[in-house]
Amino acid sequence: MSTEQRSEPATGTAPSTGSAPSAEGLTIDTTHYRTCPLCEAMCGLEIAAAEDRVVRVRGDRLDPFSAGFLCPKGAALGHLHHDPDRLRRPMVRDGDDPDTATWREVDWDEAFAEVERRLGAVLGDGTRDTVAVYLGNPNVHNPSSAIYIRPLVKALATTNVYSASTVDQMPRHVSCGLMYGNPDTIPVPDLDRTSFLLMLGANPLESNGSLCTAADFPGRLAALRDRGGRLVVVDPRRTKSAAAADEHLFIRPGTDAAFLLSILSVLVEDGLVDLGQVAAHVTGLDEVCAAVRDWLPERTEHITGITASTTRRLAHELATADRAAVYGRMGTTTVPFGTLTSWAADLCTILTGNLDRPGGLMFPLAAHTSRRRPGPGRGFRTGRRHSRVRGYPEARGEFPVATLADEILTPGAGQVRALVTVAGNPVLSTPDSGRLEEALGTLDAMVCVDPYLNETTRFAHVILPPPGPLERSHYDLAFTTLAVRNTVKWSPPMFPPDGPGEEVILAKLALIAAGAGADADPAVIDDLVLSSLLDRAVGDGGPLQGADPADLRRQLVATTPVEQALEVMVRLGAYGDRFGTEPDGLTFERLADEVHGIDLGPLESRVPEVVSTTTGAIELAPPAILADVARLATSIEDLAGNGLVLVGRRHLRSNNSWMHNVPVLVKGRHRCTLQIHPDDATARHLTDGDLAEIRSRAGAVQVAVEVTDEIMAGVVSLPHGWGHDRPGIALAVASSRPGVNSNVLTDADRTDHLSGNAVLNGIPVEVTAVDPQLAGRGSVDR
């Protein structure tokens, strides 16, 4: 097996449109096939290259999952790869003040020695919790990081673990963990076979989908309607997804839980409950019926803004559709009752008989995952420990990032004095970012694995840049477990990296954290990773129980540590050859040979095998969630409110903050604007383009106004990920169009009670006109 099989010789001249910088006129000599690593959609790419330059990127029409679909982000991958601001060598900061410090490029040995010196000084007191780690979401797009993060966290031996998950998706994990037994057992809508899709707080025509991997989401929704199905979107904005729907309903932000409970109430009241094929595998139905019975639509219509008659009609449409699914995303999880909302959305599907059946919510089966024997499992719980300052319960092994600044700034035993970040920019992505900036400036040691000198890494003492996305292999460990059709694809690196891969960087950090020193051989961690996989396979209950792990090692055809780990997972997975015991099974050679990817078929029923609760049944009524129903009842009137509330928004050309440094993705009109309804603008003497100040309990920003009836009255919207105006950053394009940081306005004191997730939507704000002569107080964009 040779990785050259992934590239094909080609001839021709690159067109000027869509070509990478300085690529015009170059002769294409190879064509590579990969999966786009920039969002969750897993779109196949056809990348034409000339020597060390990306010449052209377009959709791979032969990819069985995406069939040629491509969004602007994927088309700009060459620009990202060649970005002159992307760091290629380690950087060490000289000077205590990040605003005025200077940076110098060093070699890797010196960089790791400096990491050891600084981290060692903090860890030397024997209190491991004085070091924290923050993991950004690009880690799940990268198999090297996804595999090697675990050894790093284990070596740090700290309870202060934080990630982007508590910014946007932890409620989904917690609700699924409590219901199905595993926080990563997440059902997705079977888009290709459903006839009725109720979608809340999601805008996949801009985001390309989230916790639901579906290349060409727009085409799949159009196909739903073409075959006579219905798409209903519930959102406080008339998004692109809402505009493409059969019906769009405005809803007051943060009230989705009340709306869904009213749908459930109608299902119970009108005798529409039918569990379908999962009836024998659930428990808690009576408790659910009792909990939702009083949530009649007439009780909630003045809270949600959706009339009782509409809610009743939708409940009946959901119950009588041939195949139906309910899908909620960011707008439903980044609110005070995010876990409750996620639970209620799944219940709407379950109580209408649409769980685990074609066209409903189904559980994907990824190639690297194994089937389990039906029966009781370990289950899931939160609160195994609590954060030092605020007492937040742990969820899925981490604390809410909303309390990271507390842990840094609050004196006492266990105060965080050092921070390691991996592929994250929490200054722009987490709540109350002004306070987090204050906190980062006090750290004794900060190490960032990141390709940019950005708003967060400017506080670092050492920056360790990983390879670019085209300089490493690619396999989607996370998103194939969320895909609307089972599929698999692996791609080798296109270009040689300028430095060590993420697996080496993270392994070296793990060895430093473990006390082995900066000179220790990262092969030690490689061996631990591979041994753990093989030992589990040959141990009691493993798929190859009793086999010799040394013999299995000799059978591996992959040559790098990351690929060897992937090979073991795939060969022992649900479709694998089990090292020859299943001759027709999937092998690493076949993965390498199938350059466009492999279609593994439509989603199939997996209950009860997929359920791992301690009872072996789907827990419809987890006590913690039922208690949150009662909490909602005591605070429901507060959700109605009379003032303005703020929500975020996405744009097709923007995913993470670092995409704002790619010229082709930020060109055109400024997108960092405050959307406001005409009635609200008139009441505040604002017209389109005026400068306004938005003020919340946490902070204030000034930004240009965009008056539009695409947002409901009483709601304003500001996109996230902007605010590239900080001193000391090295992002030339982003700094020229900085926008404002919406997380200056988010309140770290407001979280989802059950998951600790930050509340980013439904934030009470005041909006006032700004005299242009007085502009500039605070964070400003014009």
Side-chain angles (χ1 to χ4, degrees):
M1 183 271 295
S2 170
T3 57
E4 278 76 27
Q5 293 169 321
R6 304 293 300 192
S7 306
E8 298 177 357
T11 58
T13 302
S16 58
T17 302
S19 59
S22 304
E24 291 82 356
L26 293 179
T27 300
I28 298 170
D29 53 36
T30 56
T31 299
H32 304 256
Y33 298 96
R34 300 177 63 80
T35 300
C36 180
L38 301 181
C39 79
E40 300 183 30
M42 297 200 314
C43 296
L45 304 179
E46 179 188 287
I47 306 177
E51 299 178 358
D52 63 345
R53 304 294 299 179
V54 173
V55 177
R56 182 188 66 224
V57 181
R58 62 188 181 191
D60 178 7
R61 290 170 293 178
L62 298 180
D63 185 292
F65 190 62
S66 61
F69 178 80
L70 183 65
C71 84
K73 294 189 294 293
L77 187 57
H79 294 259
L80 185 65
H81 175 74
H82 297 297
D83 186 351
D85 289 335
R86 184 167 67 85
L87 302 178
R88 271 76 173 176
R89 299 287 185 272
M91 304 287 285
V92 170
R93 191 182 93 200
D94 292 325
D96 294 331
D97 184 355
D99 291 353
T100 59
T102 58
W103 290 87
R104 56 189 170 90
E105 191 175 279
V106 300
D107 63 31
W108 284 94
D109 288 342
E110 182 178 350
F112 285 121
E114 179 67 5
V115 171
E116 182 181 17
R117 184 180 74 83
R118 287 192 171 270
L119 279 185
V122 175
L123 290 171
D125 65 5
T127 305
R128 308 297 293 192
D129 285 348
T130 54
V131 178
V133 59
Y134 175 83
L135 309 173
N137 65 19
N139 287 296
V140 297
H141 298 257
N142 175 3
S144 301
S145 293
I147 293 170
Y148 278 74
I149 282 291
R150 187 182 296 272
L152 171 59
V153 173
K154 187 174 182 179
L156 287 170
T158 178
T159 63
N160 278 306
V161 178
Y162 306 86
S163 85
S165 293
T166 56
V167 176
D168 65 1
Q169 69 187 50
M170 190 58 76
R172 190 75 179 116
H173 289 295
V174 172
S175 67
C176 288
L178 294 174
M179 295 178 76
Y180 310 119
N182 186 321
D184 296 323
T185 298
I186 298 176
V188 300
D190 184 11
L191 297 180
D192 298 336
R193 294 181 288 186
T194 194
S195 59
F196 183 90
L197 180 63
L198 176 60
M199 191 160 66
L200 303 95
N203 183 16
L205 267 67
E206 300 270 17
S207 70
N208 286 329
S210 177
L211 295 184
C212 174
T213 295
D216 193 9
F217 218 123
R220 294 177 195 268
L221 293 182
L224 158 66
R225 299 184 67 195
D226 289 345
R227 62 178 177 263
R230 264 177 61 75
L231 171 64
V232 179
V233 172
V234 180
D235 199 291
R237 296 177 52 240
R238 189 165 63 249
T239 62
K240 284 189 176 181
S241 301
D246 295 283
E247 184 176 6
H248 168 229
L249 301 171
F250 284 121
I251 188 171
R252 177 79 172 175
T255 67
D256 303 83
F259 168 65
L260 291 169
L261 288 174
S262 289
I263 288 181
L264 291 169
S265 176
V266 174
L267 295 177
V268 172
E269 179 187 38
D270 293 356
L272 299 173
V273 174
D274 179 1
L275 297 175
Q277 64 188 44
V278 301
H281 307 292
V282 305
T283 184
L285 178 60
D286 291 343
E287 292 90 335
V288 166
C289 292
V292 305
R293 197 178 303 276
D294 293 336
W295 287 87
L296 299 174
E298 290 76 14
R299 176 186 178 187
T300 61
E301 61 182 345
H302 74 287
I303 305 295
T304 65
I306 299 175
T307 64
S309 60
T310 298
T311 301
R312 289 184 177 278
R313 172 176 56 80
L314 285 176
H316 279 258
E317 289 182 4
L318 184 65
T320 58
D322 288 338
R323 302 174 177 187
V326 179
Y327 168 59
R329 238 339 255 129
M330 281 279 289
T332 65
T333 56
T334 55
V335 293
F337 292 91
T339 303
L340 174 58
T341 307
S342 295
W343 166 79
D346 275 15
L347 277 184
C348 286
T349 302
I350 295 171
L351 267 57
T352 54
N354 286 297
L355 180 68
D356 201 44
R357 67 184 292 258
L361 287 182
M362 302 193 75
F363 299 94
L365 182 61
H368 62 278
T369 60
S370 301
R371 295 186 183 274
R372 64 180 298 274
R373 297 184 183 92
R378 296 175 57 185
F380 171 77
R381 63 188 178 95
T382 63
R384 295 171 294 179
R385 53 186 176 271
H386 292 76
S387 63
R388 178 180 67 99
V389 178
R390 292 181 180 262
Y392 283 130
E394 156 276 340
R396 201 165 167 255
E398 59 187 87
F399 289 133
V401 72
T403 196
L404 175 57
D406 301 320
E407 297 295 331
I408 298 173
L409 292 173
T410 305
Q415 179 183 5
V416 170
R417 295 165 45 212
L419 176 66
V420 178
T421 71
V422 184
N425 191 355
V427 165
L428 292 190
S429 62
T430 64
D432 200 354
S433 60
R435 188 161 183 262
L436 182 60
E437 281 195 285
E438 175 192 352
L440 296 183
T442 69
L443 291 168
D444 296 332
M446 184 169 172
V447 179
C448 295
V449 181
D450 202 280
Y452 286 102
L453 178 52
N454 61 29
E455 295 77 15
T456 294
T457 62
R458 74 188 187 98
F459 290 98
H461 298 96
V462 183
I463 304 175
L464 305 172
L470 298 181
E471 297 169 342
R472 59 181 181 239
S473 64
H474 187 84
Y475 178 99
D476 280 295
L477 283 165
F479 303 128
T480 49
T481 69
L482 298 164
V484 299
R485 188 175 176 92
N486 294 316
T487 186
V488 64
K489 186 175 181 178
W490 173 81
S491 311
M494 270 186 61
F495 303 115
D498 288 314
E502 274 108 331
E503 70 278 10
V504 176
I505 296 171
L506 296 176
K508 294 280 281 187
L509 291 179
L511 290 165
I512 290 170
D519 295 329
D521 188 349
V524 172
I525 303 298
D526 298 335
D527 185 68
L528 286 174
V529 169
L530 189 57
S531 293
S532 66
L533 291 170
L534 293 175
D535 290 347
R536 193 159 56 244
V538 304
D540 290 345
L544 297 178
Q545 182 175 333
D548 180 3
D551 180 58
L552 299 181
R553 280 179 183 255
R554 287 189 290 270
Q555 295 184 49
L556 295 175
V557 298
T559 57
T560 70
V562 173
E563 273 71 61
Q564 287 182 336
L566 288 173
E567 179 178 356
V568 172
M569 287 188 273
V570 169
R571 294 182 70 178
L572 295 178
Y575 312 89
D577 78 329
R578 301 209 171 191
F579 285 82
T581 62
E582 298 287 345
D584 295 329
L586 191 60
T587 63
F588 197 70
E589 293 101 323
R590 185 182 172 200
L591 272 186
D593 291 342
E594 299 277 4
V595 297
H596 304 287
I598 302 170
D599 178 38
L600 298 173
L603 305 185
E604 299 178 353
S605 296
R606 295 190 62 202
V607 173
E609 165 250 322
V610 74
V611 181
S612 58
T613 59
T614 56
T615 63
I618 298 170
E619 300 283 354
L620 298 184
I625 294 183
L626 291 187
D628 225 33
V629 175
R631 186 172 70 95
L632 176 62
T634 63
S635 58
I636 187 171
E637 294 299 331
D638 295 338
L639 296 176
N642 295 314
L644 292 178
V645 292
L646 176 70
V647 299
R649 71 177 186 267
R650 290 283 294 269
H651 192 277
L652 186 60
R653 293 176 178 267
S654 175
N655 187 5
N656 297 307
S657 56
W658 43 269
M659 290 186 187
H660 297 157
N661 207 53
V662 178
V664 296
L665 295 181
V666 295
K667 67 180 181 180
R669 65 181 182 87
H670 283 270
R671 295 193 295 274
C672 188
T673 60
L674 181 73
Q675 291 187 343
I676 187 170
H677 188 273
D679 293 347
D680 294 322
T682 299
R684 290 158 180 80
H685 308 290
L686 289 166
T687 59
D688 201 66
D690 284 352
L691 192 66
E693 179 174 273
I694 322 164
R695 181 171 295 277
S696 72
R697 197 185 77 87
V701 298
Q702 295 178 2
V703 67
V705 163
E706 178 185 348
V707 181
T708 174
D709 64 2
E710 293 183 349
I711 192 164
M712 72 183 295
V715 181
V716 292
S717 174
L718 191 66
H720 72 275
W722 298 86
H724 308 292
D725 57 354
R726 312 312 295 153
I729 68 173
L731 299 166
V733 174
S735 296
S736 69
R737 311 186 83 174
V740 297
N741 182 2
S742 63
N743 277 310
V744 169
L745 303 169
T746 55
D747 189 343
D749 289 343
R750 301 185 74 216
T751 61
D752 172 44
H753 181 72
L754 293 179
S755 69
N757 203 90
V759 172
L760 307 182
N761 284 300
I763 302 167
V765 293
E766 295 178 355
V767 175
T768 56
V770 173
D771 184 336
Q773 296 182 343
L774 300 178
R777 297 175 299 174
S779 183
V780 180
D781 183 48
R782 187 66 190 265

